[in-house]
Amino acid sequence: MTEQYEYLVCAMQNGRVTFVNGEWQGEVAPTTEDANQALETCPAAWVFLNQAGQEGWELVSSLNQPLEDVHLQTLFLKRPQ
């Protein structure tokens, strides 16, 4: 029998994890007037990845999407079910 996995797809903006499987990760809603304030409440990449690693998640791939004034990334993590 093949091993089965579960996955996380994580959106990052400027080094902060903003969405995980479509769920906002910040403490301040992204719809506030100050988007930078909302972004600053999202976990930093290394904080998120360290926590996820402790929960058995493994980073398997990433996709970089540099734009003019923002750097977007998508992280793909998996762990056995």
Side-chain angles (χ1 to χ4, degrees):
M1 181 175 201
T2 61
E3 192 164 6
Q4 303 225 343
Y5 298 95
E6 59 182 328
Y7 296 92
L8 293 179
V9 178
C10 308
M12 284 184 40
Q13 180 176 334
N14 294 340
R16 298 214 175 247
V17 177
T18 54
F19 289 90
V20 175
N21 289 353
E23 185 176 319
W24 176 251
Q25 298 300 297
E27 296 173 14
V28 174
T31 56
T32 61
E33 289 181 23
D34 188 353
N36 286 329
Q37 178 190 15
L39 181 62
E40 300 244 339
T41 66
C42 293
W46 60 88
V47 171
F48 176 82
L49 289 171
N50 281 327
Q51 178 65 39
Q54 291 175 5
E55 296 172 6
W57 293 99
E58 175 185 3
L59 178 65
V60 294
S61 185
S62 67
L63 173 65
N64 291 313
Q65 303 159 311
L67 300 175
E68 219 172 280
D69 58 345
V70 80
H71 187 211
L72 303 177
Q73 289 179 289
T74 304
L75 306 177
F76 301 90
L77 294 87
K78 74 173 186 178
R79 73 176 176 189
Q81 283 187 326

